[in-house]
Amino acid sequence: MLLAQLLDRAGTGVWAAACVLYFTFVIGLDAGQVGLLLGASGVAGIAGSPLAGHLADRFPVRSLLIGAHLLRLGTLCLMLVVTDFALLLLVVAVTHLGDRGAKTLEMLFATRVAGDRRATYQALSRSSANAGYALGAGLAAIGLAVGTRGAYQVLILADALSFLVVAALVWRTKEPRGHGLVVPPAGPADATGPAAAAAPAGRGPWRDRGYLRFVLLDIPMHLDDSILGIGIPLWLVGRTEAPHELIPAFLVVNTVLVVLLQLQVSARVETARQAAGAVALYGVATFACCALLAGAGAGGVWGASAALLAAAVLATAAELVRSVSSWELAVRLAPKEARASYLGVAGMAQSVQKSAGPLLLTGVVMAAGPAGWLALGTAVAGLSLVQRRSSLRRLDRLERLERTPPVPAAFG
């Protein structure tokens, strides 16, 4: 699975680095059309996670994951021949829907296979994903340097080929029996256990207010992604004297630190309560990152450069914590017999952030100047404490229910 993920992310990295230029110089779209295209794809992606989770409760995860990869393979090949904007909008939206669905199914499948070692797998997963993105971006740079229509088409085919190979690798991986996630053998208390209390029969994640609260609070716990990829580079260009050549260093810092430290961080977040505690650390790291960005404009060339690099390190530290705590809590706070559908809903947090985060940073935070960064950092830190407290309360409730004696069966 880790090799499959590395290849998947390498292909995704190729497309991510080339898509805007392909739409602009090969298809001939203007900036407004490109923005609409990518915005619509982001909105479509929000539906991918819950749809994947819903299906995973009913069908084998491996089959669904292979189908998602083949769907992306087909839509990418269509991009080679589709030039009409309306059709392209549909193709890109379906591609992103398959992309988000595949990522959720990938984690569901890995969670089944990894079992209680899912925190370790998540760490290895993050490391392989970052290595894949870096590899993909490097391959894309070669094609972009050539700059011809044929070069762009080769990049698209390389991404499509990665999905075909990944589908084959998933097909060769054995899946535990049953659908959805592995459920421990039923015991006498199962009928009144935590799962039954947390999600009554037929209720589902959309009517579980406690779990929906967790997912809602988890959205700002993913803002490190937009801060690192969009906020820091744009702040450097618009509000500091730091050289523009520093921007690629942010990605290098992020990739190197994730590869080197993710396993060590995951080793310290092995239980649900440790994951809840780590959420508060996410808030601290994000606040410190935002405070550095707020002061970066007043530091001159060297001061601004140092502050921005330190902010990138702190954003990466937040990512390291979030990547293990968010998924661990999503799994442990969900009822066992319906984890697939619950985790599909939990996956929406990242998708929503990817759509709304850039707009929040560019339209609100950076427009307000340094005060905007301080307000953002304070808000995320405060919400992280709320998330920690809310998660611990739900864990306490589930543990109390586990200790509740079973209801004797009625005879007569």
Side-chain angles (χ1 to χ4, degrees):
M1 280 300 295
L2 291 174
L3 175 59
Q5 187 176 51
L6 185 145
L7 293 174
D8 183 339
R9 299 305 186 272
T12 301
V14 168
W15 175 242
C19 65
V20 172
L21 296 179
Y22 175 78
F23 292 140
T24 302
F25 296 117
V26 176
I27 303 298
L29 303 183
D30 58 37
Q33 289 175 313
V34 172
L36 178 60
L37 200 66
L38 298 180
S41 68
V43 173
I46 294 174
S49 292
L51 177 61
H54 177 76
L55 293 174
D57 268 336
R58 291 156 177 79
F59 303 100
V61 178
R62 184 178 69 165
S63 300
L64 292 172
L65 182 54
I66 292 172
H69 289 316
L70 295 179
L71 173 65
R72 293 194 290 170
L73 168 66
T75 54
L76 272 177
C77 290
L78 282 175
M79 286 189 202
L80 294 171
V81 296
V82 172
T83 56
D84 179 76
F85 179 72
L87 289 177
L88 195 61
L89 190 66
L90 176 62
V91 170
V92 173
V94 174
T95 301
H96 210 65
L97 179 74
D99 181 66
R100 295 308 309 168
K103 284 181 171 58
T104 298
L105 291 167
E106 180 182 76
M107 291 309 301
L108 290 174
F109 188 59
T111 299
R112 294 191 63 192
V113 175
D116 291 337
R117 300 184 63 189
R118 57 181 170 268
T120 300
Y121 174 85
Q122 179 73 348
L124 293 170
S125 169
R126 291 297 304 169
S127 297
S128 65
N130 275 266
Y133 282 129
L135 175 62
L139 294 174
I142 299 174
L144 298 180
V146 176
T148 63
R149 181 185 185 92
Y152 282 107
Q153 291 175 333
V154 168
L155 292 178
I156 293 177
L157 287 173
D159 189 14
L161 178 62
S162 73
F163 296 145
L164 181 61
V165 175
V166 169
L169 290 173
V170 174
W171 178 74
R172 294 183 59 185
T173 304
K174 292 183 179 180
E175 178 181 10
R177 296 177 62 187
H179 304 321
L181 293 179
V182 175
V183 181
D190 280 1
T192 56
R203 185 173 181 179
W206 295 107
R207 299 179 63 186
D208 187 338
R209 290 184 296 177
Y211 199 81
L212 289 178
R213 184 186 305 114
F214 161 75
V215 175
L216 182 63
L217 289 170
D218 204 38
I219 295 173
M221 302 303 120
H222 285 77
L223 276 170
D224 59 276
D225 181 61
S226 292
I227 290 174
L228 183 66
I230 296 172
I232 297 178
L234 289 182
W235 193 250
L236 179 151
V237 173
R239 294 298 189 99
T240 76
E241 298 179 19
H244 295 184
E245 292 78 9
L246 189 64
I247 291 177
F250 303 143
L251 176 60
V252 173
V253 166
N254 176 260
T255 301
V256 171
L257 290 180
V258 169
V259 171
L260 292 178
L261 300 178
Q262 189 69 80
L263 272 174
Q264 298 179 39
V265 173
S266 69
R268 298 176 180 273
V269 186
E270 294 182 336
T271 68
R273 291 191 174 277
Q274 289 173 337
V279 175
L281 296 178
Y282 180 93
V284 172
T286 303
F287 176 81
C289 171
C290 292
L292 282 171
L293 291 173
V301 175
W302 291 104
S305 298
L308 291 168
L309 284 171
V313 171
L314 287 167
T316 301
E319 176 190 344
L320 289 168
V321 172
R322 180 259 299 168
S323 63
V324 291
S325 64
S326 178
W327 188 255
E328 179 66 19
L329 288 173
V331 172
R332 295 296 295 272
L333 297 180
K336 294 176 182 177
E337 75 276 9
R339 274 182 177 165
S341 57
Y342 270 69
L343 292 176
V345 173
M348 291 179 62
Q350 187 174 10
S351 299
V352 171
Q353 189 284 138
K354 283 184 175 294
S355 296
L359 297 176
L360 172 67
L361 291 183
T362 58
V364 180
V365 174
M366 287 188 281
W373 283 114
L374 291 175
L376 178 67
T378 302
V380 172
L383 290 173
S384 72
L385 296 178
V386 176
Q387 177 75 302
R388 174 182 177 276
R389 184 177 182 183
S390 176
S391 298
L392 288 174
R393 282 182 173 179
R394 186 172 172 100
L395 288 170
D396 287 339
R397 184 167 65 253
L398 295 179
E399 289 177 358
R400 285 196 300 269
L401 290 168
E402 285 179 345
R403 294 192 294 268
T404 302
V407 177
F411 295 95

